Amino acid sequence: MLPERLSAYLRYLTGLALQPANRWDGFDLSAAEARASSLRGQITFVGCAMAALACHPHAGRDESALALTALDALIDRMIQRRVWATWATETERASRKPDPVDAGYGIYSGALSMLLGLQAVLGGRVRYTYDPFILRWSADVRASYTATQLVEALWRQVRASPDGAIFCEGDTASASAMAAVLWALRLHDRAYGSDYGAAGATWITTLTERMTIRGPRLPGRGVFAGSYDMRSRRVSFAGDRLEDAWTLALIAPLDRDLVARLAERHWLALPKICARGEALTVAFSYLLAVELGDTVQAAQLRTYADQRLGPVEDAQAGRRYTGVSAAPWVTALYAIGEAGGLGRLLTLAAPEFPAGRA
């Protein structure tokens, strides 16, 4: 059985995921497209928490099954039109087909493929292995993909770019969105024995040589540029601490040595981040500390959350942080870290049999 604190996280997060598909009680819908409270981000990391809890060494069979059922439901929520409608509206106005996979919306397609990949490495039933999911924009405009077709599309897009990047939003790629793409490729390799992850090496080179900010480690200087323009092949230097923490936390299990070096610049900014109460950045920083094995930093950030982020726990609704916006997202990041991080998912043995039909 899971320790009580993790069990309480599981109750809260599965309660969000398993409510009727047209109900979104508990999700932050106040600014569903804002970067720090996007519905897409909330779904993605609640799904990651389900995977981390499902594979926890102390999880009982029923607890793992519940977490995987919730992951199923979260994937279906991610496919819902409302999650990608704002992007599609703008894309259609530009006279392009609003297909978030083919038309280049990597911040969405990479995250969706990552969730499907997490499901695959856990060895259970994988959604849309044979029957495709359908992205319905209107009665006569829709796109369909199987899980494999989705990850293959990402792989082709990465390989087609001299910089290993794909269009994430508009004409740009971001380090955090590309991190999810790299995870999707690596998870597919882990589950099915493919070699898609090798294509991500080009982006890692771009990240370190083009996106990483150089110069003295000063408190006002971040780690990464804010975005990479795919057409001009130039970077924007308007990065921020959330982008840094988000990217570092996801890349750490993929390239620990690289992230350990880059994180030194981020840690310098952490006192001000905490003082300003930037809860989502703090939560990603906590996950980063866990992934790097920095137990002292992780313990301090966990204490910070328990003192400053409004923790609430009860027998029915479980454990969550209520003193923040996008509470599901912040809570999920702490649940992932307390469950041991995401890196464990890359060490699971590959499933011994093909994933079943969903």
Side-chain angles (χ1 to χ4, degrees):
M1 297 292 291
L2 287 169
E4 176 52 36
R5 187 160 157 135
L6 293 183
S7 178
Y9 282 133
L10 181 65
R11 288 197 302 276
Y12 166 63
L13 296 171
T14 54
L16 293 173
L18 296 176
Q19 60 186 309
N22 63 340
R23 295 280 297 275
W24 294 83
D25 296 344
F27 287 95
D28 185 347
L29 304 178
S30 61
E33 286 300 315
R35 187 166 56 114
S37 58
S38 71
L39 194 52
R40 177 191 62 249
Q42 293 176 70
I43 296 168
T44 300
F45 286 95
V46 172
C48 290
M50 292 299 92
L53 291 168
C55 75
H56 191 277
H58 294 150
R61 180 173 297 181
D62 289 345
E63 292 170 323
S64 292
L66 178 62
L68 290 175
T69 299
L71 181 54
D72 279 2
L74 289 160
I75 289 169
D76 284 341
R77 284 184 182 274
M78 190 72 137
I79 292 166
Q80 287 190 35
R81 184 180 185 274
R82 68 184 303 164
V83 179
W84 49 278
T86 298
W87 170 88
T89 299
E90 296 173 356
T91 301
E92 190 173 54
R93 286 173 183 164
S95 300
R96 298 166 59 203
K97 182 181 179 181
D99 176 350
V101 177
D102 185 61
Y105 188 30
I107 196 170
Y108 170 81
S109 57
L112 174 57
S113 187
M114 182 180 177
L115 292 181
L116 289 162
L118 290 172
Q119 201 174 44
V121 299
L122 289 167
R125 183 182 66 170
V126 179
R127 302 291 283 165
Y128 308 112
T129 301
Y130 302 103
D131 296 328
F133 59 85
I134 300 175
L135 299 165
R136 292 184 176 87
W137 175 240
S138 64
D140 57 349
V141 178
R142 63 186 65 189
S144 62
Y145 297 90
T146 64
T148 297
Q149 288 170 339
L150 173 59
V151 76
E152 287 176 346
L154 294 174
W155 176 69
R156 287 194 301 271
Q157 290 165 3
V158 167
R159 289 193 46 159
S161 166
D163 305 304
I166 70 173
F167 291 100
C168 295
E169 288 186 283
D171 290 338
T172 66
S174 68
S176 58
M178 284 301 303
V181 173
L182 298 191
W183 263 92
L185 299 176
R186 286 282 294 273
L187 288 166
H188 194 275
D189 291 351
R190 191 74 194 174
Y192 299 108
S194 56
D195 191 27
Y196 291 163
T202 303
W203 171 251
I204 292 294
T205 299
T206 300
L207 184 71
T208 54
E209 296 184 356
R210 308 284 296 279
M211 292 284 285
T212 301
I213 296 174
R214 309 295 178 182
R217 294 176 180 173
L218 301 176
R221 294 171 65 87
V223 181
F224 299 114
S227 63
Y228 183 79
D229 191 297
M230 296 276 291
R231 301 196 188 281
S232 69
R233 301 181 69 186
R234 294 182 179 180
V235 299
S236 162
F237 286 97
D240 59 35
R241 301 305 183 182
L242 174 56
E243 179 70 8
D244 292 347
W246 186 341
T247 303
L248 291 168
L250 284 186
I251 295 293
L254 306 180
D255 195 330
R256 189 180 186 280
D257 291 341
L258 170 65
V259 169
R261 294 195 305 271
L262 296 179
E264 292 302 318
R265 190 185 294 270
H266 177 67
W267 297 136
L268 289 174
L270 191 57
K272 287 188 176 180
I273 292 169
C274 291
R276 290 194 293 260
E278 298 174 13
L280 188 58
T281 306
V282 171
F284 271 118
S285 299
Y286 167 70
L287 181 56
L288 170 62
V290 170
E291 300 292 1
L292 292 178
D294 188 339
T295 56
V296 173
Q297 191 83 263
Q300 291 173 347
L301 291 170
R302 176 169 156 170
T303 298
Y304 172 93
D306 287 348
Q307 293 177 347
R308 298 278 299 275
L309 303 186
V312 172
E313 183 173 333
D314 57 67
Q316 182 175 1
R319 179 178 178 81
R320 64 274 191 203
Y321 291 104
T322 62
V324 297
S325 61
W329 195 343
V330 173
T331 303
L333 290 171
Y334 273 93
I336 295 166
E338 292 182 37
L342 290 174
R344 177 184 294 135
L345 289 153
L346 293 174
T347 67
L348 296 176
E352 295 181 359
F353 50 88
R357 188 169 185 157

